[in-house]
mmCIF file of all heavy atoms in Angstrom:
data_model
loop_
_atom_site.group_PDB
_atom_site.id
_atom_site.type_symbol
_atom_site.label_atom_id
_atom_site.label_comp_id
_atom_site.label_asym_id
_atom_site.label_seq_id
_atom_site.Cartn_x
_atom_site.Cartn_y
_atom_site.Cartn_z
ATOM 1 N N ARG A 20 0.839 -1.207 0.000
ATOM 2 C CA ARG A 20 0.000 0.000 0.000
ATOM 3 C C ARG A 20 0.874 1.257 0.000
ATOM 4 O O ARG A 20 0.623 2.198 -0.749
ATOM 5 C CB ARG A 20 -0.923 -0.002 1.224
ATOM 6 C CG ARG A 20 -1.851 1.215 1.290
ATOM 7 C CD ARG A 20 -2.794 1.120 2.465
ATOM 8 N NE ARG A 20 -2.088 1.182 3.747
ATOM 9 C CZ ARG A 20 -2.670 0.900 4.909
ATOM 10 N NH1 ARG A 20 -3.938 0.519 4.951
ATOM 11 N NH2 ARG A 20 -1.977 0.981 6.032
ATOM 12 N N HIS A 21 1.911 1.236 0.837
ATOM 13 C CA HIS A 21 2.826 2.372 0.862
ATOM 14 C C HIS A 21 3.596 2.463 -0.454
ATOM 15 O O HIS A 21 3.889 3.567 -0.936
ATOM 16 C CB HIS A 21 3.797 2.241 2.037
ATOM 17 C CG HIS A 21 4.658 3.444 2.263
ATOM 18 N ND1 HIS A 21 4.142 4.692 2.558
ATOM 19 C CD2 HIS A 21 6.016 3.617 2.220
ATOM 20 C CE1 HIS A 21 5.121 5.560 2.702
ATOM 21 N NE2 HIS A 21 6.275 4.934 2.492
ATOM 22 N N GLY A 22 3.907 1.304 -1.041
ATOM 23 C CA GLY A 22 4.617 1.288 -2.310
ATOM 24 C C GLY A 22 3.828 1.933 -3.440
ATOM 25 O O GLY A 22 4.414 2.441 -4.398
ATOM 26 N N CYS A 23 2.500 1.929 -3.323
ATOM 27 C CA CYS A 23 1.660 2.566 -4.344
ATOM 28 C C CYS A 23 1.764 4.086 -4.299
ATOM 29 O O CYS A 23 1.458 4.760 -5.279
ATOM 30 C CB CYS A 23 0.197 2.166 -4.147
ATOM 31 S SG CYS A 23 -0.179 0.453 -4.549
ATOM 32 N N SER A 24 2.177 4.605 -3.152
ATOM 33 C CA SER A 24 2.133 6.055 -2.951
ATOM 34 C C SER A 24 3.506 6.723 -2.958
ATOM 35 O O SER A 24 3.615 7.923 -2.714
ATOM 36 C CB SER A 24 1.437 6.373 -1.620
ATOM 37 O OG SER A 24 2.177 5.847 -0.527
ATOM 38 N N THR A 25 4.560 5.960 -3.228
ATOM 39 C CA THR A 25 5.904 6.541 -3.217
ATOM 40 C C THR A 25 6.766 5.935 -4.310
ATOM 41 O O THR A 25 6.516 4.805 -4.748
ATOM 42 C CB THR A 25 6.591 6.324 -1.848
ATOM 43 O OG1 THR A 25 7.869 6.953 -1.854
ATOM 44 C CG2 THR A 25 6.764 4.836 -1.555
ATOM 45 N N VAL A 26 7.755 6.691 -4.741
ATOM 46 C CA VAL A 26 8.726 6.168 -5.709
ATOM 47 C C VAL A 26 10.054 5.888 -5.023
ATOM 48 O O VAL A 26 10.995 5.403 -5.657
ATOM 49 C CB VAL A 26 8.951 7.167 -6.868
ATOM 50 C CG1 VAL A 26 7.676 7.358 -7.665
ATOM 51 C CG2 VAL A 26 9.477 8.506 -6.346
ATOM 52 N N GLN A 27 10.137 6.172 -3.719
ATOM 53 C CA GLN A 27 11.369 5.993 -2.973
ATOM 54 C C GLN A 27 11.400 4.640 -2.253
ATOM 55 O O GLN A 27 10.384 4.212 -1.687
ATOM 56 C CB GLN A 27 11.529 7.110 -1.934
ATOM 57 C CG GLN A 27 11.589 8.509 -2.523
ATOM 58 C CD GLN A 27 12.770 8.702 -3.445
ATOM 59 O OE1 GLN A 27 13.838 8.136 -3.232
ATOM 60 N NE2 GLN A 27 12.589 9.516 -4.475
ATOM 61 N N PRO A 28 12.539 3.948 -2.259
ATOM 62 C CA PRO A 28 12.653 2.731 -1.464
ATOM 63 C C PRO A 28 12.423 3.040 0.013
ATOM 64 O O PRO A 28 12.710 4.146 0.472
ATOM 65 C CB PRO A 28 14.098 2.274 -1.716
ATOM 66 C CG PRO A 28 14.473 2.930 -3.004
ATOM 67 C CD PRO A 28 13.770 4.246 -3.012
ATOM 68 N N PHE A 29 11.929 2.064 0.742
ATOM 69 C CA PHE A 29 11.632 2.301 2.152
ATOM 70 C C PHE A 29 11.744 1.009 2.953
ATOM 71 O O PHE A 29 11.608 -0.094 2.411
ATOM 72 C CB PHE A 29 10.222 2.881 2.320
ATOM 73 C CG PHE A 29 9.118 1.998 1.778
ATOM 74 C CD1 PHE A 29 8.465 1.067 2.587
ATOM 75 C CD2 PHE A 29 8.731 2.096 0.443
ATOM 76 C CE1 PHE A 29 7.456 0.258 2.085
ATOM 77 C CE2 PHE A 29 7.718 1.285 -0.072
ATOM 78 C CZ PHE A 29 7.082 0.367 0.756
ATOM 79 N N GLU A 30 12.023 1.160 4.224
ATOM 80 C CA GLU A 30 11.996 0.017 5.126
ATOM 81 C C GLU A 30 10.555 -0.260 5.527
ATOM 82 O O GLU A 30 9.719 0.656 5.565
ATOM 83 C CB GLU A 30 12.860 0.277 6.354
ATOM 84 C CG GLU A 30 14.342 0.370 6.037
ATOM 85 C CD GLU A 30 15.219 0.254 7.278
ATOM 86 O OE1 GLU A 30 14.916 -0.603 8.145
ATOM 87 O OE2 GLU A 30 16.199 1.009 7.387
ATOM 88 N N TRP A 31 10.264 -1.510 5.846
ATOM 89 C CA TRP A 31 8.906 -1.874 6.208
ATOM 90 C C TRP A 31 8.372 -1.016 7.355
ATOM 91 O O TRP A 31 7.189 -0.703 7.395
ATOM 92 C CB TRP A 31 8.856 -3.343 6.614
ATOM 93 C CG TRP A 31 8.891 -4.299 5.464
ATOM 94 C CD1 TRP A 31 9.112 -4.006 4.138
ATOM 95 C CD2 TRP A 31 8.698 -5.705 5.532
ATOM 96 N NE1 TRP A 31 9.071 -5.160 3.383
ATOM 97 C CE2 TRP A 31 8.826 -6.220 4.207
ATOM 98 C CE3 TRP A 31 8.444 -6.597 6.565
ATOM 99 C CZ2 TRP A 31 8.691 -7.569 3.921
ATOM 100 C CZ3 TRP A 31 8.314 -7.953 6.285
ATOM 101 C CH2 TRP A 31 8.430 -8.433 4.973
ATOM 102 N N SER A 32 9.246 -0.654 8.263
ATOM 103 C CA SER A 32 8.816 0.130 9.421
ATOM 104 C C SER A 32 8.270 1.501 9.022
ATOM 105 O O SER A 32 7.566 2.149 9.811
ATOM 106 C CB SER A 32 9.976 0.313 10.402
ATOM 107 O OG SER A 32 11.075 0.953 9.765
ATOM 108 N N GLU A 33 8.582 1.939 7.815
ATOM 109 C CA GLU A 33 8.083 3.230 7.336
ATOM 110 C C GLU A 33 6.677 3.128 6.754
ATOM 111 O O GLU A 33 6.044 4.157 6.485
ATOM 112 C CB GLU A 33 9.034 3.793 6.288
ATOM 113 C CG GLU A 33 10.442 4.073 6.792
ATOM 114 C CD GLU A 33 11.378 4.492 5.676
ATOM 115 O OE1 GLU A 33 11.105 5.524 5.030
ATOM 116 O OE2 GLU A 33 12.371 3.766 5.424
ATOM 117 N N ALA A 34 6.187 1.917 6.563
ATOM 118 C CA ALA A 34 4.823 1.713 6.056
ATOM 119 C C ALA A 34 3.871 1.722 7.253
ATOM 120 O O ALA A 34 3.504 0.684 7.799
ATOM 121 C CB ALA A 34 4.723 0.390 5.293
ATOM 122 N N VAL A 35 3.506 2.914 7.669
ATOM 123 C CA VAL A 35 2.755 3.069 8.917
ATOM 124 C C VAL A 35 1.292 2.681 8.742
ATOM 125 O O VAL A 35 0.729 2.733 7.642
ATOM 126 C CB VAL A 35 2.856 4.521 9.435
ATOM 127 C CG1 VAL A 35 4.290 4.857 9.786
ATOM 128 C CG2 VAL A 35 2.314 5.496 8.405
ATOM 129 N N TYR A 36 0.683 2.300 9.846
ATOM 130 C CA TYR A 36 -0.742 1.962 9.887
ATOM 131 C C TYR A 36 -1.220 2.116 11.326
ATOM 132 O O TYR A 36 -0.412 2.192 12.263
ATOM 133 C CB TYR A 36 -0.976 0.530 9.393
ATOM 134 C CG TYR A 36 -0.270 -0.525 10.216
ATOM 135 C CD1 TYR A 36 -0.896 -1.136 11.300
ATOM 136 C CD2 TYR A 36 1.035 -0.904 9.919
ATOM 137 C CE1 TYR A 36 -0.243 -2.088 12.067
ATOM 138 C CE2 TYR A 36 1.701 -1.853 10.679
ATOM 139 C CZ TYR A 36 1.061 -2.444 11.750
ATOM 140 O OH TYR A 36 1.709 -3.382 12.510
ATOM 141 N N ASP A 37 -2.513 2.164 11.519
ATOM 142 C CA ASP A 37 -3.122 2.303 12.843
ATOM 143 C C ASP A 37 -3.494 0.923 13.372
ATOM 144 O O ASP A 37 -4.378 0.261 12.818
ATOM 145 C CB ASP A 37 -4.366 3.196 12.751
ATOM 146 C CG ASP A 37 -4.923 3.575 14.113
ATOM 147 O OD1 ASP A 37 -5.041 2.680 14.974
ATOM 148 O OD2 ASP A 37 -5.238 4.756 14.310
ATOM 149 N N ARG A 38 -2.820 0.468 14.406
ATOM 150 C CA ARG A 38 -3.061 -0.875 14.936
ATOM 151 C C ARG A 38 -4.510 -1.080 15.373
ATOM 152 O O ARG A 38 -5.066 -2.162 15.205
ATOM 153 C CB ARG A 38 -2.146 -1.153 16.133
ATOM 154 C CG ARG A 38 -0.685 -1.267 15.779
ATOM 155 C CD ARG A 38 0.107 -1.774 16.967
ATOM 156 N NE ARG A 38 1.525 -1.873 16.679
ATOM 157 C CZ ARG A 38 2.410 -2.457 17.485
ATOM 158 N NH1 ARG A 38 2.004 -2.971 18.642
ATOM 159 N NH2 ARG A 38 3.676 -2.516 17.149
ATOM 160 N N ASP A 39 -5.107 -0.021 15.949
ATOM 161 C CA ASP A 39 -6.469 -0.143 16.461
ATOM 162 C C ASP A 39 -7.494 -0.138 15.332
ATOM 163 O O ASP A 39 -8.450 -0.919 15.339
ATOM 164 C CB ASP A 39 -6.775 0.999 17.436
ATOM 165 C CG ASP A 39 -5.898 0.932 18.683
ATOM 166 O OD1 ASP A 39 -5.584 -0.196 19.118
ATOM 167 O OD2 ASP A 39 -5.522 2.004 19.198
ATOM 168 N N LYS A 40 -7.278 0.728 14.342
ATOM 169 C CA LYS A 40 -8.238 0.839 13.248
ATOM 170 C C LYS A 40 -7.975 -0.159 12.130
ATOM 171 O O LYS A 40 -8.860 -0.417 11.310
ATOM 172 C CB LYS A 40 -8.215 2.269 12.683
ATOM 173 C CG LYS A 40 -8.688 3.318 13.674
ATOM 174 C CD LYS A 40 -8.657 4.709 13.029
ATOM 175 C CE LYS A 40 -9.131 5.772 14.000
ATOM 176 N NZ LYS A 40 -9.088 7.137 13.404
ATOM 177 N N GLU A 41 -6.746 -0.689 12.076
ATOM 178 C CA GLU A 41 -6.384 -1.634 11.009
ATOM 179 C C GLU A 41 -5.790 -2.912 11.612
ATOM 180 O O GLU A 41 -4.612 -3.203 11.425
ATOM 181 C CB GLU A 41 -5.385 -1.000 10.061
ATOM 182 C CG GLU A 41 -5.877 0.272 9.371
ATOM 183 C CD GLU A 41 -4.820 0.885 8.475
ATOM 184 O OE1 GLU A 41 -3.977 1.654 8.985
ATOM 185 O OE2 GLU A 41 -4.824 0.562 7.277
ATOM 186 N N PRO A 42 -6.599 -3.681 12.322
ATOM 187 C CA PRO A 42 -6.076 -4.897 12.958
ATOM 188 C C PRO A 42 -5.554 -5.923 11.960
ATOM 189 O O PRO A 42 -4.625 -6.670 12.260
ATOM 190 C CB PRO A 42 -7.290 -5.440 13.730
ATOM 191 C CG PRO A 42 -8.482 -4.835 13.048
ATOM 192 C CD PRO A 42 -8.034 -3.484 12.593
ATOM 193 N N ARG A 43 -6.132 -5.948 10.757
ATOM 194 C CA ARG A 43 -5.669 -6.909 9.763
ATOM 195 C C ARG A 43 -4.278 -6.537 9.249
ATOM 196 O O ARG A 43 -3.453 -7.409 8.978
ATOM 197 C CB ARG A 43 -6.659 -6.957 8.592
ATOM 198 C CG ARG A 43 -7.978 -7.616 8.927
ATOM 199 C CD ARG A 43 -7.986 -9.078 8.588
ATOM 200 N NE ARG A 43 -7.972 -9.274 7.145
ATOM 201 C CZ ARG A 43 -7.630 -10.428 6.554
ATOM 202 N NH1 ARG A 43 -7.267 -11.459 7.288
ATOM 203 N NH2 ARG A 43 -7.652 -10.538 5.245
ATOM 204 N N ALA A 44 -4.011 -5.254 9.120
ATOM 205 C CA ALA A 44 -2.680 -4.813 8.709
ATOM 206 C C ALA A 44 -1.656 -5.227 9.757
ATOM 207 O O ALA A 44 -0.555 -5.700 9.434
ATOM 208 C CB ALA A 44 -2.662 -3.294 8.513
ATOM 209 N N HIS A 45 -2.018 -5.056 11.020
ATOM 210 C CA HIS A 45 -1.119 -5.460 12.105
ATOM 211 C C HIS A 45 -0.924 -6.977 12.104
ATOM 212 O O HIS A 45 0.176 -7.472 12.382
ATOM 213 C CB HIS A 45 -1.684 -5.001 13.447
ATOM 214 C CG HIS A 45 -0.778 -5.270 14.606
ATOM 215 N ND1 HIS A 45 0.533 -4.839 14.653
ATOM 216 C CD2 HIS A 45 -0.977 -5.965 15.770
ATOM 217 C CE1 HIS A 45 1.097 -5.231 15.778
ATOM 218 N NE2 HIS A 45 0.202 -5.921 16.464
ATOM 219 N N GLN A 46 -1.971 -7.695 11.756
ATOM 220 C CA GLN A 46 -1.887 -9.162 11.693
ATOM 221 C C GLN A 46 -0.891 -9.606 10.625
ATOM 222 O O GLN A 46 -0.110 -10.540 10.845
ATOM 223 C CB GLN A 46 -3.271 -9.745 11.384
ATOM 224 C CG GLN A 46 -3.326 -11.273 11.425
ATOM 225 C CD GLN A 46 -4.707 -11.800 11.089
ATOM 226 O OE1 GLN A 46 -5.473 -11.176 10.360
ATOM 227 N NE2 GLN A 46 -5.048 -12.951 11.635
ATOM 228 N N VAL A 47 -0.887 -8.929 9.476
ATOM 229 C CA VAL A 47 0.070 -9.264 8.413
ATOM 230 C C VAL A 47 1.494 -9.164 8.935
ATOM 231 O O VAL A 47 2.305 -10.088 8.780
ATOM 232 C CB VAL A 47 -0.089 -8.316 7.205
ATOM 233 C CG1 VAL A 47 0.994 -8.613 6.169
ATOM 234 C CG2 VAL A 47 -1.447 -8.461 6.573
ATOM 235 N N MET A 48 1.814 -8.029 9.559
ATOM 236 C CA MET A 48 3.175 -7.782 10.002
ATOM 237 C C MET A 48 3.560 -8.726 11.149
ATOM 238 O O MET A 48 4.706 -9.188 11.227
ATOM 239 C CB MET A 48 3.341 -6.327 10.435
ATOM 240 C CG MET A 48 2.932 -5.310 9.365
ATOM 241 S SD MET A 48 3.673 -5.618 7.738
ATOM 242 C CE MET A 48 5.393 -5.216 8.055
ATOM 243 N N THR A 49 2.626 -9.032 12.032
ATOM 244 C CA THR A 49 2.890 -9.926 13.154
ATOM 245 C C THR A 49 3.151 -11.341 12.672
ATOM 246 O O THR A 49 4.109 -12.001 13.101
ATOM 247 C CB THR A 49 1.710 -9.918 14.137
ATOM 248 O OG1 THR A 49 1.495 -8.583 14.614
ATOM 249 C CG2 THR A 49 1.982 -10.830 15.330
ATOM 250 N N TRP A 50 2.304 -11.814 11.769
ATOM 251 C CA TRP A 50 2.476 -13.176 11.254
ATOM 252 C C TRP A 50 3.743 -13.282 10.408
ATOM 253 O O TRP A 50 4.418 -14.309 10.441
ATOM 254 C CB TRP A 50 1.248 -13.583 10.441
ATOM 255 C CG TRP A 50 0.039 -13.901 11.284
ATOM 256 C CD1 TRP A 50 -0.146 -13.569 12.602
ATOM 257 C CD2 TRP A 50 -1.134 -14.584 10.863
ATOM 258 N NE1 TRP A 50 -1.379 -14.002 13.023
ATOM 259 C CE2 TRP A 50 -2.007 -14.633 11.978
ATOM 260 C CE3 TRP A 50 -1.552 -15.146 9.671
ATOM 261 C CZ2 TRP A 50 -3.262 -15.235 11.917
ATOM 262 C CZ3 TRP A 50 -2.804 -15.741 9.604
ATOM 263 C CH2 TRP A 50 -3.645 -15.790 10.712
ATOM 264 N N ALA A 51 4.062 -12.243 9.649
ATOM 265 C CA ALA A 51 5.291 -12.266 8.854
ATOM 266 C C ALA A 51 6.503 -12.440 9.766
ATOM 267 O O ALA A 51 7.429 -13.211 9.461
ATOM 268 C CB ALA A 51 5.418 -10.979 8.042
ATOM 269 N N ALA A 52 6.501 -11.740 10.897
ATOM 270 C CA ALA A 52 7.618 -11.834 11.842
ATOM 271 C C ALA A 52 7.776 -13.250 12.374
ATOM 272 O O ALA A 52 8.897 -13.700 12.663
ATOM 273 C CB ALA A 52 7.404 -10.858 12.992
ATOM 274 N N GLU A 53 6.667 -13.969 12.505
ATOM 275 C CA GLU A 53 6.720 -15.348 12.986
ATOM 276 C C GLU A 53 7.432 -16.265 11.998
ATOM 277 O O GLU A 53 7.894 -17.348 12.365
ATOM 278 C CB GLU A 53 5.310 -15.860 13.270
ATOM 279 C CG GLU A 53 4.634 -15.147 14.437
ATOM 280 C CD GLU A 53 3.216 -15.620 14.666
ATOM 281 O OE1 GLU A 53 2.758 -16.540 13.933
ATOM 282 O OE2 GLU A 53 2.549 -15.079 15.569
ATOM 283 N N PHE A 54 7.517 -15.837 10.746
ATOM 284 C CA PHE A 54 8.241 -16.600 9.721
ATOM 285 C C PHE A 54 9.649 -16.057 9.522
ATOM 286 O O PHE A 54 10.315 -16.386 8.539
ATOM 287 C CB PHE A 54 7.467 -16.575 8.400
ATOM 288 C CG PHE A 54 6.282 -17.490 8.364
ATOM 289 C CD1 PHE A 54 5.039 -17.055 8.791
ATOM 290 C CD2 PHE A 54 6.408 -18.793 7.917
ATOM 291 C CE1 PHE A 54 3.938 -17.891 8.759
ATOM 292 C CE2 PHE A 54 5.327 -19.652 7.889
ATOM 293 C CZ PHE A 54 4.079 -19.199 8.313
ATOM 294 N N GLY A 55 10.102 -15.224 10.447
ATOM 295 C CA GLY A 55 11.454 -14.670 10.366
ATOM 296 C C GLY A 55 11.556 -13.420 9.515
ATOM 297 O O GLY A 55 12.661 -12.922 9.282
ATOM 298 N N LEU A 56 10.419 -12.908 9.062
ATOM 299 C CA LEU A 56 10.414 -11.698 8.230
ATOM 300 C C LEU A 56 10.151 -10.506 9.147
ATOM 301 O O LEU A 56 9.077 -9.903 9.142
ATOM 302 C CB LEU A 56 9.346 -11.806 7.136
ATOM 303 C CG LEU A 56 9.313 -13.133 6.364
ATOM 304 C CD1 LEU A 56 8.237 -13.108 5.298
ATOM 305 C CD2 LEU A 56 10.670 -13.435 5.748
ATOM 306 N N LYS A 57 11.157 -10.166 9.938
ATOM 307 C CA LYS A 57 10.990 -9.155 10.983
ATOM 308 C C LYS A 57 11.336 -7.749 10.514
ATOM 309 O O LYS A 57 10.779 -6.768 10.999
ATOM 310 C CB LYS A 57 11.850 -9.521 12.189
ATOM 311 C CG LYS A 57 11.444 -10.845 12.833
ATOM 312 C CD LYS A 57 12.339 -11.180 14.017
ATOM 313 C CE LYS A 57 11.924 -12.505 14.652
ATOM 314 N NZ LYS A 57 12.789 -12.863 15.796
ATOM 315 N N ARG A 58 12.258 -7.662 9.590
ATOM 316 C CA ARG A 58 12.653 -6.348 9.077
ATOM 317 C C ARG A 58 12.794 -6.446 7.569
ATOM 318 O O ARG A 58 13.432 -7.369 7.058
ATOM 319 C CB ARG A 58 13.973 -5.914 9.713
ATOM 320 C CG ARG A 58 14.399 -4.489 9.347
ATOM 321 C CD ARG A 58 15.734 -4.135 9.962
ATOM 322 N NE ARG A 58 16.221 -2.839 9.508
ATOM 323 C CZ ARG A 58 17.486 -2.442 9.624
ATOM 324 N NH1 ARG A 58 18.388 -3.238 10.197
ATOM 325 N NH2 ARG A 58 17.857 -1.255 9.184
ATOM 326 N N GLY A 59 12.174 -5.517 6.872
ATOM 327 C CA GLY A 59 12.185 -5.606 5.427
ATOM 328 C C GLY A 59 12.537 -4.307 4.739
ATOM 329 O O GLY A 59 12.548 -3.234 5.348
ATOM 330 N N TYR A 60 12.845 -4.435 3.475
ATOM 331 C CA TYR A 60 13.209 -3.297 2.629
ATOM 332 C C TYR A 60 12.460 -3.465 1.310
ATOM 333 O O TYR A 60 12.425 -4.562 0.739
ATOM 334 C CB TYR A 60 14.716 -3.287 2.388
ATOM 335 C CG TYR A 60 15.243 -2.090 1.646
ATOM 336 C CD1 TYR A 60 14.981 -0.795 2.079
ATOM 337 C CD2 TYR A 60 16.041 -2.247 0.506
ATOM 338 C CE1 TYR A 60 15.491 0.304 1.411
ATOM 339 C CE2 TYR A 60 16.557 -1.154 -0.162
ATOM 340 C CZ TYR A 60 16.281 0.128 0.302
ATOM 341 O OH TYR A 60 16.784 1.225 -0.369
ATOM 342 N N CYS A 61 11.831 -2.403 0.847
ATOM 343 C CA CYS A 61 10.970 -2.492 -0.336
ATOM 344 C C CYS A 61 11.360 -1.446 -1.363
ATOM 345 O O CYS A 61 11.570 -0.277 -1.026
ATOM 346 C CB CYS A 61 9.511 -2.302 0.089
ATOM 347 S SG CYS A 61 8.330 -2.455 -1.270
ATOM 348 N N ILE A 62 11.455 -1.877 -2.614
ATOM 349 C CA ILE A 62 11.751 -0.970 -3.727
ATOM 350 C C ILE A 62 10.521 -0.936 -4.634
ATOM 351 O O ILE A 62 10.199 -1.934 -5.290
ATOM 352 C CB ILE A 62 12.978 -1.428 -4.541
ATOM 353 C CG1 ILE A 62 14.239 -1.390 -3.675
ATOM 354 C CG2 ILE A 62 13.172 -0.551 -5.758
ATOM 355 C CD1 ILE A 62 14.650 -2.714 -3.126
ATOM 356 N N PRO A 63 9.786 0.185 -4.659
ATOM 357 C CA PRO A 63 8.632 0.293 -5.566
ATOM 358 C C PRO A 63 9.077 0.724 -6.954
ATOM 359 O O PRO A 63 10.033 1.497 -7.100
ATOM 360 C CB PRO A 63 7.771 1.381 -4.906
ATOM 361 C CG PRO A 63 8.742 2.229 -4.150
ATOM 362 C CD PRO A 63 9.920 1.358 -3.790
ATOM 363 N N LEU A 64 8.402 0.218 -7.965
ATOM 364 C CA LEU A 64 8.685 0.593 -9.349
ATOM 365 C C LEU A 64 7.384 1.047 -9.996
ATOM 366 O O LEU A 64 6.353 0.396 -9.837
ATOM 367 C CB LEU A 64 9.261 -0.594 -10.130
ATOM 368 C CG LEU A 64 10.558 -1.212 -9.597
ATOM 369 C CD1 LEU A 64 10.918 -2.440 -10.419
ATOM 370 C CD2 LEU A 64 11.687 -0.195 -9.639
ATOM 371 N N HIS A 65 7.437 2.138 -10.721
ATOM 372 C CA HIS A 65 6.238 2.654 -11.378
ATOM 373 C C HIS A 65 6.541 2.879 -12.851
ATOM 374 O O HIS A 65 7.365 3.727 -13.209
ATOM 375 C CB HIS A 65 5.788 3.955 -10.708
ATOM 376 C CG HIS A 65 5.386 3.782 -9.276
ATOM 377 N ND1 HIS A 65 4.128 3.360 -8.906
ATOM 378 C CD2 HIS A 65 6.089 3.943 -8.125
ATOM 379 C CE1 HIS A 65 4.058 3.288 -7.586
ATOM 380 N NE2 HIS A 65 5.239 3.614 -7.086
ATOM 381 N N TYR A 66 5.872 2.075 -13.703
ATOM 382 C CA TYR A 66 6.010 2.217 -15.139
ATOM 383 C C TYR A 66 4.822 3.010 -15.677
ATOM 384 O O TYR A 66 3.878 3.307 -14.940
ATOM 385 C CB TYR A 66 6.057 0.837 -15.812
ATOM 386 C CG TYR A 66 7.153 -0.064 -15.286
ATOM 387 C CD1 TYR A 66 6.876 -1.074 -14.365
ATOM 388 C CD2 TYR A 66 8.463 0.095 -15.707
ATOM 389 C CE1 TYR A 66 7.888 -1.898 -13.879
ATOM 390 C CE2 TYR A 66 9.476 -0.721 -15.235
ATOM 391 C CZ TYR A 66 9.179 -1.716 -14.321
ATOM 392 O OH TYR A 66 10.176 -2.528 -13.845
ATOM 393 N N ASP A 67 4.848 3.347 -16.959
ATOM 394 C CA ASP A 67 3.745 4.095 -17.545
ATOM 395 C C ASP A 67 2.428 3.338 -17.446
ATOM 396 O O ASP A 67 1.374 3.930 -17.252
ATOM 397 C CB ASP A 67 4.033 4.410 -19.020
ATOM 398 C CG ASP A 67 5.156 5.430 -19.176
ATOM 399 O OD1 ASP A 67 5.418 6.165 -18.208
ATOM 400 O OD2 ASP A 67 5.763 5.468 -20.258
#
């Protein structure tokens, strides 16, 4: 979602969300960490 709104690479921690209002978003990040995906880096690409 954050990748859709930026052209700059970012760490996962920069993809902010509201834990209370977006429990499913928090669930994604929590479950990912359980698989060892605790810290990430994302490069968005935007073509025509």
Side-chain angles (χ1 to χ4, degrees):
R20 181 177 66 191
H21 188 61
C23 289
S24 63
T25 183
V26 296
Q27 300 298 326
F29 59 92
E30 293 195 42
W31 283 8
S32 58
E33 298 174 60
V35 296
Y36 60 91
D37 189 314
R38 292 190 181 189
D39 296 326
K40 295 181 180 179
E41 300 178 275
R43 289 267 291 162
H45 185 54
Q46 185 181 28
V47 175
M48 305 310 290
T49 301
W50 286 16
E53 293 177 2
F54 283 89
L56 313 181
K57 297 179 180 179
R58 186 182 174 197
Y60 186 54
C61 182
I62 296 100
L64 301 175
H65 297 277
Y66 304 101
D67 290 339

